[in-house]
Amino acid sequence: MSAVGVVSSHSCLRPSVWLLKPGIQKASSFGLHMAARCAAKDYYEVLVLGGGAGGITMSARMKRKVGAENVAVVEPSKTHYYQPLWTLVGGGAKQLATSARPTGSVMPAGVEWIKSRVTALDPDKNCVYVENGSKISYKYLIIALGISLHYEKIKGLPEGFHHPKIGSNYSAHTVEKTWKAVQDFKEGNAIFTFPNTPVKCAGAPQKIMYLSEAYWRKTGKRSKANIMFNTSLGVIFGVKKYADALLEIIKERDIAVNYKRNLIEVRADKQEAVFENLDKPGVTEVHQYEMLHVTPPMGPPDVLINSCVSDEIGWVDVDKETLQHKKYPNVFGIGDCTNLPTSKTAAAVAAQSGVLDRTISLVMKNQLPTKKYDGYTSCPIVTGYNKVILAEFDYNAQPLETFPLDQSKERVTMYHMKADMMPFLYWNALLKGYWGGPAPVRKLMHLGLK
């Protein structure tokens, strides 16, 4: 999919699409650019781009507001994955099949599923274009396109995955290769990477490292493993409270951490990984590996790059408190595709969905949004086959914890919440539009302490 270029001050479309007949516009009292209704299936009151966690959740919520027949979701994938489970799949604790369901089974009943890919957005004319060139108009647009993986930005990938001893928990195509590589490990370097880009679930690159270490301890291979975490970051984790706890675990388990190291090449035939030293541009290091887990570079979907709805990088440009677009009042964003300055996780989507629901309700009534998103996100950091540190924090990287206990401690209860309770909540509450994150639980917990 190619990037969308700006061709005039009034359109975000590529020339071939820009020449198509534009929709008729009219303005509301709030300055919303409302398009006239087109033929059946060409216009929806609410159009959702993306059928991931954010898109399905918001389509379920919007169905209750405007009716199923007035909501559509544009999504090409036939399978919907609960991706937070892939950490446990890569560590052999869960099966990939348990993370997958047919997209049709999670689509809210009656909501139109447009089985296509968005190729261009024209918010000035309240429409988008899909792969066959069709135009779909809307009154309100919710952008939930997620984040794109870019294995190809690492020389030698993705073709390197055809070789053994290398895997990645970030793709359904490679996550089972991770578990195979963990099982087949004999002796030598086991390298885990973190790229020089934003990523979804920033704790996941080291979760699989802790699981692998635990497995090798259990199977008597730990003494033969030199475990290395090569991260492009300068810290182990962005919130000090949890970083301090993780550093203690790393010390206890004799794991080597190399900061400011970015994976730039994989020579899979030689089992070599090449890293750039970010403190010394141009200086590289080559490490032999017996096992390699790759976290790929990530970025905004191609269709958002150079789009009118995006910032200079390509993330959807929304107000960080209301999730309403900064320029187009009838456009909203949720989840990984936005420029919200918080970690990109499913837990963040849950918290954002409740705020966005309220924002859209008020906008529909020509009222100003009032509910504010505080940046809440969560990262259950799996540190073993029955242990989790539950990191919860806000925009200021300050702990925003749900439970009245020290969540920086490894706990069995938090592991079961991660492995068993959260998947249930995801399928049965979040995707049905009934779960808006743990804020109500947190409130009750804290009230109970007074």
Side-chain angles (χ1 to χ4, degrees):
M1 189 185 303
S2 58
V4 180
V6 178
V7 297
S8 79
S9 60
H10 303 291
S11 175
C12 313
L13 306 182
R14 294 177 304 229
S16 59
V17 180
W18 174 64
L19 294 173
L20 295 171
K21 186 176 179 180
I24 301 171
Q25 300 180 54
K26 62 179 180 178
S28 74
S29 58
F30 249 86
L32 305 183
H33 306 284
M34 299 304 177
R37 190 178 182 103
C38 303
K41 303 298 182 183
D42 292 336
Y43 170 92
Y44 296 89
E45 188 164 352
V46 179
L47 182 63
V48 181
L49 305 183
I56 296 298
T57 297
M58 291 312 301
S59 64
R61 288 175 176 267
M62 294 301 102
K63 170 185 172 178
R64 294 198 289 271
K65 291 190 188 302
V66 302
E69 70 279 6
N70 297 311
V71 180
V73 179
V74 181
E75 171 56 53
S77 302
K78 295 178 181 179
T79 305
H80 181 103
Y81 289 102
Y82 176 57
Q83 295 181 32
L85 209 60
W86 288 352
T87 286
L88 299 179
V89 174
K94 294 285 184 178
Q95 296 296 313
L96 179 61
T98 63
S99 72
R101 293 189 182 180
T103 299
S105 72
V106 299
M107 195 68 61
V111 167
E112 183 72 16
W113 175 20
I114 301 171
K115 303 178 182 68
S116 189
R117 192 180 304 275
V118 181
T119 57
L121 295 83
D122 190 354
D124 290 301
K125 295 183 173 63
N126 298 295
C127 64
V128 304
Y129 292 85
V130 295
E131 278 182 322
N132 65 0
S134 296
K135 180 178 74 173
I136 306 170
S137 297
Y138 59 81
K139 188 174 183 180
Y140 303 100
L141 180 69
I142 299 174
I143 305 174
L145 289 170
I147 193 170
S148 293
L149 308 182
H150 292 293
Y151 288 103
E152 78 283 354
K153 291 188 176 180
I154 300 172
K155 186 177 179 181
L157 295 182
E159 61 271 19
F161 287 113
H162 293 301
H163 292 261
K165 304 183 183 297
I166 175 173
S168 175
N169 286 358
Y170 277 88
S171 168
H173 302 294
T174 58
V175 62
E176 291 175 308
K177 285 184 63 62
T178 300
W179 176 227
K180 184 71 165 57
V182 171
Q183 290 177 294
D184 290 347
F185 181 90
K186 293 181 175 60
E187 61 178 332
N189 291 333
I191 306 176
F192 302 81
T193 74
F194 191 110
N196 193 25
T197 66
V199 301
K200 52 183 172 181
C201 193
Q206 55 185 301
K207 295 178 192 179
I208 184 58
M209 175 176 68
Y210 301 128
L211 283 176
S212 300
E213 193 274 343
Y215 178 79
W216 294 327
R217 259 190 290 124
K218 180 180 177 182
T219 55
K221 298 178 181 179
R222 179 62 185 91
S223 62
K224 298 179 181 180
N226 178 34
I227 301 175
M228 302 166 60
F229 186 56
N230 282 12
T231 172
S232 66
L233 303 178
V235 294
I236 196 68
F237 198 75
V239 181
K240 187 178 186 302
K241 176 177 181 178
Y242 308 117
D244 289 345
L246 291 171
L247 288 173
E248 284 297 318
I249 291 171
I250 285 168
K251 182 179 179 181
E252 290 171 4
R253 300 183 191 177
D254 191 26
I255 295 171
V257 179
N258 299 309
Y259 297 105
K260 296 298 186 115
R261 300 298 193 275
N262 185 45
L263 180 66
I264 59 172
E265 182 181 358
V266 174
R267 302 166 184 166
D269 56 333
K270 300 178 181 178
Q271 291 176 217
E272 292 179 347
V274 183
F275 294 86
E276 180 182 12
N277 184 333
L278 297 179
D279 284 332
K280 300 175 181 177
V283 176
T284 60
E285 303 169 357
V286 180
H287 295 282
Q288 196 83 23
Y289 65 82
E290 169 67 7
M291 184 244 172
L292 175 66
H293 178 268
V294 177
T295 301
M298 302 181 202
D302 288 350
V303 71
L304 294 178
I305 297 173
N306 298 323
S307 167
C308 293
V309 300
S310 304
D311 62 16
E312 63 279 3
I313 298 173
W315 306 110
V316 180
D317 195 17
V318 295
D319 182 279
K320 74 175 191 175
E321 294 183 337
T322 66
L323 282 74
Q324 183 178 33
H325 196 274
K326 292 179 181 178
K327 180 180 178 183
Y328 301 101
N330 63 328
V331 175
F332 310 87
I334 185 171
D336 296 353
C337 67
T338 66
N339 61 0
L340 296 170
T342 191
S343 292
K344 300 177 184 294
T345 69
V349 167
Q352 291 164 21
S353 67
V355 174
L356 183 52
D357 187 292
R358 181 60 178 162
T359 290
I360 294 176
S361 294
L362 291 172
V363 171
M364 286 178 170
K365 298 173 184 176
N366 286 338
Q367 297 176 14
L368 290 171
T370 57
K371 192 171 176 67
K372 296 181 178 181
Y373 173 54
D374 56 12
Y376 171 85
T377 192
S378 173
C379 182
I381 305 172
V382 181
T383 57
Y385 283 97
N386 63 350
K387 295 179 181 179
V388 158
I389 289 174
L390 181 59
E392 296 180 292
F393 48 97
D394 61 15
Y395 275 138
N396 298 315
Q398 294 301 308
L400 190 60
E401 298 181 341
T402 298
F403 302 100
L405 44 80
D406 184 358
Q407 292 182 196
S408 68
K409 302 293 184 183
E410 296 176 283
R411 298 183 187 275
V412 174
T413 52
M414 297 305 177
Y415 177 86
H416 289 297
M417 186 189 74
K418 156 75 176 174
D420 305 313
M421 190 179 92
M422 293 313 299
F424 179 85
L425 275 176
Y426 181 84
W427 297 116
N428 298 287
L430 178 63
L431 293 189
K432 297 182 186 302
Y434 295 118
W435 172 246
V441 177
R442 187 185 304 117
K443 185 175 181 181
L444 287 173
M445 288 284 186
H446 291 176
L447 284 173
L449 293 177
K450 291 182 179 179

PDB file of all heavy atoms in Angstrom, residues 344-372:
ATOM      1  N   LYS A 344       1.354   1.881  23.817  1.00  0.00           N
ATOM      2  CA  LYS A 344       0.328   1.334  22.927  1.00  0.00           C
ATOM      3  C   LYS A 344      -0.014  -0.084  23.382  1.00  0.00           C
ATOM      4  O   LYS A 344       0.702  -1.032  23.071  1.00  0.00           O
ATOM      5  CB  LYS A 344       0.840   1.350  21.485  1.00  0.00           C
ATOM      6  CG  LYS A 344       1.183   2.771  20.997  1.00  0.00           C
ATOM      7  CD  LYS A 344       1.753   2.753  19.585  1.00  0.00           C
ATOM      8  CE  LYS A 344       2.196   4.141  19.137  1.00  0.00           C
ATOM      9  NZ  LYS A 344       1.104   5.091  19.000  1.00  0.00           N
ATOM     10  N   THR A 345      -1.121  -0.219  24.114  1.00  0.00           N
ATOM     11  CA  THR A 345      -1.529  -1.514  24.647  1.00  0.00           C
ATOM     12  C   THR A 345      -3.038  -1.681  24.525  1.00  0.00           C
ATOM     13  O   THR A 345      -3.782  -0.716  24.349  1.00  0.00           O
ATOM     14  CB  THR A 345      -1.156  -1.655  26.137  1.00  0.00           C
ATOM     15  OG1 THR A 345      -1.979  -0.751  26.906  1.00  0.00           O
ATOM     16  CG2 THR A 345       0.306  -1.346  26.394  1.00  0.00           C
ATOM     17  N   ALA A 346      -3.501  -2.936  24.662  1.00  0.00           N
ATOM     18  CA  ALA A 346      -4.939  -3.197  24.659  1.00  0.00           C
ATOM     19  C   ALA A 346      -5.605  -2.561  25.867  1.00  0.00           C
ATOM     20  O   ALA A 346      -6.758  -2.120  25.794  1.00  0.00           O
ATOM     21  CB  ALA A 346      -5.187  -4.706  24.643  1.00  0.00           C
ATOM     22  N   ALA A 347      -4.876  -2.490  26.981  1.00  0.00           N
ATOM     23  CA  ALA A 347      -5.425  -1.858  28.176  1.00  0.00           C
ATOM     24  C   ALA A 347      -5.667  -0.371  27.939  1.00  0.00           C
ATOM     25  O   ALA A 347      -6.658   0.196  28.417  1.00  0.00           O
ATOM     26  CB  ALA A 347      -4.465  -2.046  29.356  1.00  0.00           C
ATOM     27  N   ALA A 348      -4.770   0.259  27.194  1.00  0.00           N
ATOM     28  CA  ALA A 348      -4.961   1.666  26.853  1.00  0.00           C
ATOM     29  C   ALA A 348      -6.202   1.835  25.986  1.00  0.00           C
ATOM     30  O   ALA A 348      -6.986   2.779  26.159  1.00  0.00           O
ATOM     31  CB  ALA A 348      -3.728   2.207  26.134  1.00  0.00           C
ATOM     32  N   VAL A 349      -6.408   0.916  25.041  1.00  0.00           N
ATOM     33  CA  VAL A 349      -7.601   0.961  24.194  1.00  0.00           C
ATOM     34  C   VAL A 349      -8.859   0.879  25.052  1.00  0.00           C
ATOM     35  O   VAL A 349      -9.837   1.605  24.819  1.00  0.00           O
ATOM     36  CB  VAL A 349      -7.584  -0.175  23.161  1.00  0.00           C
ATOM     37  CG1 VAL A 349      -8.943  -0.335  22.484  1.00  0.00           C
ATOM     38  CG2 VAL A 349      -6.513   0.080  22.113  1.00  0.00           C
ATOM     39  N   ALA A 350      -8.854   0.012  26.055  1.00  0.00           N
ATOM     40  CA  ALA A 350     -10.015  -0.129  26.929  1.00  0.00           C
ATOM     41  C   ALA A 350     -10.337   1.196  27.619  1.00  0.00           C
ATOM     42  O   ALA A 350     -11.481   1.645  27.621  1.00  0.00           O
ATOM     43  CB  ALA A 350      -9.763  -1.226  27.960  1.00  0.00           C
ATOM     44  N   ALA A 351      -9.313   1.811  28.201  1.00  0.00           N
ATOM     45  CA  ALA A 351      -9.525   3.087  28.891  1.00  0.00           C
ATOM     46  C   ALA A 351      -9.944   4.182  27.918  1.00  0.00           C
ATOM     47  O   ALA A 351     -10.814   5.003  28.220  1.00  0.00           O
ATOM     48  CB  ALA A 351      -8.253   3.483  29.635  1.00  0.00           C
ATOM     49  N   GLN A 352      -9.333   4.192  26.741  1.00  0.00           N
ATOM     50  CA  GLN A 352      -9.663   5.209  25.742  1.00  0.00           C
ATOM     51  C   GLN A 352     -11.093   5.066  25.227  1.00  0.00           C
ATOM     52  O   GLN A 352     -11.756   6.055  24.921  1.00  0.00           O
ATOM     53  CB  GLN A 352      -8.691   5.116  24.566  1.00  0.00           C
ATOM     54  CG  GLN A 352      -7.280   5.542  24.890  1.00  0.00           C
ATOM     55  CD  GLN A 352      -6.274   5.079  23.847  1.00  0.00           C
ATOM     56  OE1 GLN A 352      -6.627   4.778  22.707  1.00  0.00           O
ATOM     57  NE2 GLN A 352      -5.014   5.005  24.227  1.00  0.00           N
ATOM     58  N   SER A 353     -11.578   3.826  25.149  1.00  0.00           N
ATOM     59  CA  SER A 353     -12.897   3.597  24.563  1.00  0.00           C
ATOM     60  C   SER A 353     -14.008   4.263  25.365  1.00  0.00           C
ATOM     61  O   SER A 353     -14.953   4.803  24.793  1.00  0.00           O
ATOM     62  CB  SER A 353     -13.175   2.098  24.434  1.00  0.00           C
ATOM     63  OG  SER A 353     -13.299   1.472  25.703  1.00  0.00           O
ATOM     64  N   GLY A 354     -13.893   4.225  26.700  1.00  0.00           N
ATOM     65  CA  GLY A 354     -14.907   4.874  27.526  1.00  0.00           C
ATOM     66  C   GLY A 354     -14.903   6.380  27.346  1.00  0.00           C
ATOM     67  O   GLY A 354     -15.964   7.020  27.274  1.00  0.00           O
ATOM     68  N   VAL A 355     -13.703   6.960  27.270  1.00  0.00           N
ATOM     69  CA  VAL A 355     -13.586   8.409  27.061  1.00  0.00           C
ATOM     70  C   VAL A 355     -14.115   8.791  25.681  1.00  0.00           C
ATOM     71  O   VAL A 355     -14.877   9.750  25.534  1.00  0.00           O
ATOM     72  CB  VAL A 355     -12.113   8.859  27.212  1.00  0.00           C
ATOM     73  CG1 VAL A 355     -11.968  10.336  26.843  1.00  0.00           C
ATOM     74  CG2 VAL A 355     -11.628   8.614  28.630  1.00  0.00           C
ATOM     75  N   LEU A 356     -13.720   8.030  24.667  1.00  0.00           N
ATOM     76  CA  LEU A 356     -14.144   8.356  23.303  1.00  0.00           C
ATOM     77  C   LEU A 356     -15.644   8.197  23.134  1.00  0.00           C
ATOM     78  O   LEU A 356     -16.287   8.990  22.416  1.00  0.00           O
ATOM     79  CB  LEU A 356     -13.404   7.455  22.313  1.00  0.00           C
ATOM     80  CG  LEU A 356     -13.674   7.719  20.829  1.00  0.00           C
ATOM     81  CD1 LEU A 356     -13.465   9.183  20.479  1.00  0.00           C
ATOM     82  CD2 LEU A 356     -12.788   6.839  19.953  1.00  0.00           C
ATOM     83  N   ASP A 357     -16.226   7.215  23.779  1.00  0.00           N
ATOM     84  CA  ASP A 357     -17.681   7.036  23.742  1.00  0.00           C
ATOM     85  C   ASP A 357     -18.374   8.311  24.224  1.00  0.00           C
ATOM     86  O   ASP A 357     -19.320   8.805  23.586  1.00  0.00           O
ATOM     87  CB  ASP A 357     -18.063   5.845  24.622  1.00  0.00           C
ATOM     88  CG  ASP A 357     -19.525   5.485  24.519  1.00  0.00           C
ATOM     89  OD1 ASP A 357     -20.370   6.283  24.966  1.00  0.00           O
ATOM     90  OD2 ASP A 357     -19.851   4.402  23.991  1.00  0.00           O
ATOM     91  N   ARG A 358     -17.901   8.838  25.331  1.00  0.00           N
ATOM     92  CA  ARG A 358     -18.502  10.050  25.895  1.00  0.00           C
ATOM     93  C   ARG A 358     -18.227  11.259  25.008  1.00  0.00           C
ATOM     94  O   ARG A 358     -19.109  12.112  24.790  1.00  0.00           O
ATOM     95  CB  ARG A 358     -17.942  10.289  27.298  1.00  0.00           C
ATOM     96  CG  ARG A 358     -18.501  11.510  28.007  1.00  0.00           C
ATOM     97  CD  ARG A 358     -19.997  11.414  28.194  1.00  0.00           C
ATOM     98  NE  ARG A 358     -20.532  12.570  28.927  1.00  0.00           N
ATOM     99  CZ  ARG A 358     -21.807  12.913  28.926  1.00  0.00           C
ATOM    100  NH1 ARG A 358     -22.694  12.211  28.240  1.00  0.00           N
ATOM    101  NH2 ARG A 358     -22.210  13.951  29.623  1.00  0.00           N
ATOM    102  N   THR A 359     -17.016  11.344  24.459  1.00  0.00           N
ATOM    103  CA  THR A 359     -16.672  12.457  23.564  1.00  0.00           C
ATOM    104  C   THR A 359     -17.607  12.491  22.360  1.00  0.00           C
ATOM    105  O   THR A 359     -18.166  13.542  22.017  1.00  0.00           O
ATOM    106  CB  THR A 359     -15.218  12.316  23.074  1.00  0.00           C
ATOM    107  OG1 THR A 359     -14.325  12.562  24.161  1.00  0.00           O
ATOM    108  CG2 THR A 359     -14.906  13.316  21.962  1.00  0.00           C
ATOM    109  N   ILE A 360     -17.788  11.350  21.713  1.00  0.00           N
ATOM    110  CA  ILE A 360     -18.635  11.305  20.525  1.00  0.00           C
ATOM    111  C   ILE A 360     -20.083  11.608  20.872  1.00  0.00           C
ATOM    112  O   ILE A 360     -20.788  12.306  20.119  1.00  0.00           O
ATOM    113  CB  ILE A 360     -18.509   9.940  19.826  1.00  0.00           C
ATOM    114  CG1 ILE A 360     -17.093   9.767  19.273  1.00  0.00           C
ATOM    115  CG2 ILE A 360     -19.529   9.799  18.704  1.00  0.00           C
ATOM    116  CD1 ILE A 360     -16.823   8.413  18.645  1.00  0.00           C
ATOM    117  N   SER A 361     -20.564  11.128  22.020  1.00  0.00           N
ATOM    118  CA  SER A 361     -21.932  11.414  22.448  1.00  0.00           C
ATOM    119  C   SER A 361     -22.179  12.910  22.537  1.00  0.00           C
ATOM    120  O   SER A 361     -23.212  13.416  22.084  1.00  0.00           O
ATOM    121  CB  SER A 361     -22.212  10.764  23.809  1.00  0.00           C
ATOM    122  OG  SER A 361     -22.184   9.368  23.724  1.00  0.00           O
ATOM    123  N   LEU A 362     -21.224  13.631  23.120  1.00  0.00           N
ATOM    124  CA  LEU A 362     -21.383  15.075  23.268  1.00  0.00           C
ATOM    125  C   LEU A 362     -21.260  15.792  21.928  1.00  0.00           C
ATOM    126  O   LEU A 362     -22.005  16.740  21.647  1.00  0.00           O
ATOM    127  CB  LEU A 362     -20.357  15.610  24.264  1.00  0.00           C
ATOM    128  CG  LEU A 362     -20.581  15.174  25.717  1.00  0.00           C
ATOM    129  CD1 LEU A 362     -19.411  15.578  26.597  1.00  0.00           C
ATOM    130  CD2 LEU A 362     -21.881  15.779  26.259  1.00  0.00           C
ATOM    131  N   VAL A 363     -20.330  15.360  21.089  1.00  0.00           N
ATOM    132  CA  VAL A 363     -20.179  15.971  19.771  1.00  0.00           C
ATOM    133  C   VAL A 363     -21.457  15.785  18.958  1.00  0.00           C
ATOM    134  O   VAL A 363     -21.899  16.700  18.239  1.00  0.00           O
ATOM    135  CB  VAL A 363     -18.966  15.383  19.028  1.00  0.00           C
ATOM    136  CG1 VAL A 363     -18.938  15.848  17.577  1.00  0.00           C
ATOM    137  CG2 VAL A 363     -17.671  15.793  19.722  1.00  0.00           C
ATOM    138  N   MET A 364     -22.068  14.631  19.074  1.00  0.00           N
ATOM    139  CA  MET A 364     -23.325  14.370  18.356  1.00  0.00           C
ATOM    140  C   MET A 364     -24.450  15.317  18.807  1.00  0.00           C
ATOM    141  O   MET A 364     -25.391  15.574  18.068  1.00  0.00           O
ATOM    142  CB  MET A 364     -23.760  12.914  18.561  1.00  0.00           C
ATOM    143  CG  MET A 364     -22.939  11.908  17.774  1.00  0.00           C
ATOM    144  SD  MET A 364     -23.489  10.200  18.116  1.00  0.00           S
ATOM    145  CE  MET A 364     -22.573   9.308  16.845  1.00  0.00           C
ATOM    146  N   LYS A 365     -24.323  15.826  20.029  1.00  0.00           N
ATOM    147  CA  LYS A 365     -25.318  16.758  20.575  1.00  0.00           C
ATOM    148  C   LYS A 365     -24.866  18.211  20.431  1.00  0.00           C
ATOM    149  O   LYS A 365     -25.452  19.122  21.041  1.00  0.00           O
ATOM    150  CB  LYS A 365     -25.555  16.451  22.054  1.00  0.00           C
ATOM    151  CG  LYS A 365     -26.118  15.064  22.320  1.00  0.00           C
ATOM    152  CD  LYS A 365     -26.160  14.785  23.821  1.00  0.00           C
ATOM    153  CE  LYS A 365     -26.628  13.362  24.102  1.00  0.00           C
ATOM    154  NZ  LYS A 365     -26.586  13.051  25.559  1.00  0.00           N
ATOM    155  N   ASN A 366     -23.804  18.409  19.629  1.00  0.00           N
ATOM    156  CA  ASN A 366     -23.234  19.744  19.446  1.00  0.00           C
ATOM    157  C   ASN A 366     -22.746  20.358  20.758  1.00  0.00           C
ATOM    158  O   ASN A 366     -22.834  21.568  20.974  1.00  0.00           O
ATOM    159  CB  ASN A 366     -24.235  20.692  18.784  1.00  0.00           C
ATOM    160  CG  ASN A 366     -24.407  20.396  17.311  1.00  0.00           C
ATOM    161  OD1 ASN A 366     -23.531  19.797  16.684  1.00  0.00           O
ATOM    162  ND2 ASN A 366     -25.533  20.790  16.754  1.00  0.00           N
ATOM    163  N   GLN A 367     -22.234  19.498  21.638  1.00  0.00           N
ATOM    164  CA  GLN A 367     -21.678  19.956  22.907  1.00  0.00           C
ATOM    165  C   GLN A 367     -20.183  19.679  22.933  1.00  0.00           C
ATOM    166  O   GLN A 367     -19.684  18.807  22.225  1.00  0.00           O
ATOM    167  CB  GLN A 367     -22.364  19.236  24.076  1.00  0.00           C
ATOM    168  CG  GLN A 367     -23.845  19.523  24.185  1.00  0.00           C
ATOM    169  CD  GLN A 367     -24.502  18.727  25.296  1.00  0.00           C
ATOM    170  OE1 GLN A 367     -23.823  18.148  26.161  1.00  0.00           O
ATOM    171  NE2 GLN A 367     -25.821  18.684  25.281  1.00  0.00           N
ATOM    172  N   LEU A 368     -19.480  20.419  23.765  1.00  0.00           N
ATOM    173  CA  LEU A 368     -18.035  20.235  23.881  1.00  0.00           C
ATOM    174  C   LEU A 368     -17.714  19.010  24.716  1.00  0.00           C
ATOM    175  O   LEU A 368     -18.351  18.760  25.745  1.00  0.00           O
ATOM    176  CB  LEU A 368     -17.392  21.465  24.526  1.00  0.00           C
ATOM    177  CG  LEU A 368     -17.351  22.751  23.683  1.00  0.00           C
ATOM    178  CD1 LEU A 368     -16.882  23.917  24.537  1.00  0.00           C
ATOM    179  CD2 LEU A 368     -16.421  22.557  22.486  1.00  0.00           C
ATOM    180  N   PRO A 369     -16.716  18.214  24.312  1.00  0.00           N
ATOM    181  CA  PRO A 369     -16.299  17.050  25.102  1.00  0.00           C
ATOM    182  C   PRO A 369     -15.798  17.477  26.474  1.00  0.00           C
ATOM    183  O   PRO A 369     -15.154  18.513  26.626  1.00  0.00           O
ATOM    184  CB  PRO A 369     -15.165  16.447  24.270  1.00  0.00           C
ATOM    185  CG  PRO A 369     -15.378  16.959  22.885  1.00  0.00           C
ATOM    186  CD  PRO A 369     -15.960  18.331  23.053  1.00  0.00           C
ATOM    187  N   THR A 370     -16.098  16.675  27.486  1.00  0.00           N
ATOM    188  CA  THR A 370     -15.689  17.006  28.849  1.00  0.00           C
ATOM    189  C   THR A 370     -14.843  15.910  29.494  1.00  0.00           C
ATOM    190  O   THR A 370     -13.940  16.198  30.271  1.00  0.00           O
ATOM    191  CB  THR A 370     -16.925  17.252  29.735  1.00  0.00           C
ATOM    192  OG1 THR A 370     -17.769  16.090  29.690  1.00  0.00           O
ATOM    193  CG2 THR A 370     -17.709  18.469  29.255  1.00  0.00           C
ATOM    194  N   LYS A 371     -15.140  14.655  29.195  1.00  0.00           N
ATOM    195  CA  LYS A 371     -14.416  13.551  29.841  1.00  0.00           C
ATOM    196  C   LYS A 371     -12.979  13.532  29.354  1.00  0.00           C
ATOM    197  O   LYS A 371     -12.723  13.683  28.167  1.00  0.00           O
ATOM    198  CB  LYS A 371     -15.106  12.225  29.543  1.00  0.00           C
ATOM    199  CG  LYS A 371     -14.611  11.067  30.394  1.00  0.00           C
ATOM    200  CD  LYS A 371     -15.481   9.846  30.189  1.00  0.00           C
ATOM    201  CE  LYS A 371     -14.971   8.632  30.959  1.00  0.00           C
ATOM    202  NZ  LYS A 371     -15.061   8.801  32.405  1.00  0.00           N
ATOM    203  N   LYS A 372     -12.036  13.353  30.259  1.00  0.00           N
ATOM    204  CA  LYS A 372     -10.626  13.437  29.914  1.00  0.00           C
ATOM    205  C   LYS A 372      -9.904  12.107  30.130  1.00  0.00           C
ATOM    206  O   LYS A 372     -10.035  11.476  31.177  1.00  0.00           O
ATOM    207  CB  LYS A 372      -9.950  14.531  30.738  1.00  0.00           C
ATOM    208  CG  LYS A 372     -10.489  15.935  30.439  1.00  0.00           C
ATOM    209  CD  LYS A 372      -9.775  16.988  31.252  1.00  0.00           C
ATOM    210  CE  LYS A 372     -10.290  18.389  30.912  1.00  0.00           C
ATOM    211  NZ  LYS A 372      -9.581  19.434  31.698  1.00  0.00           N
TER     212      LYS A 372
END
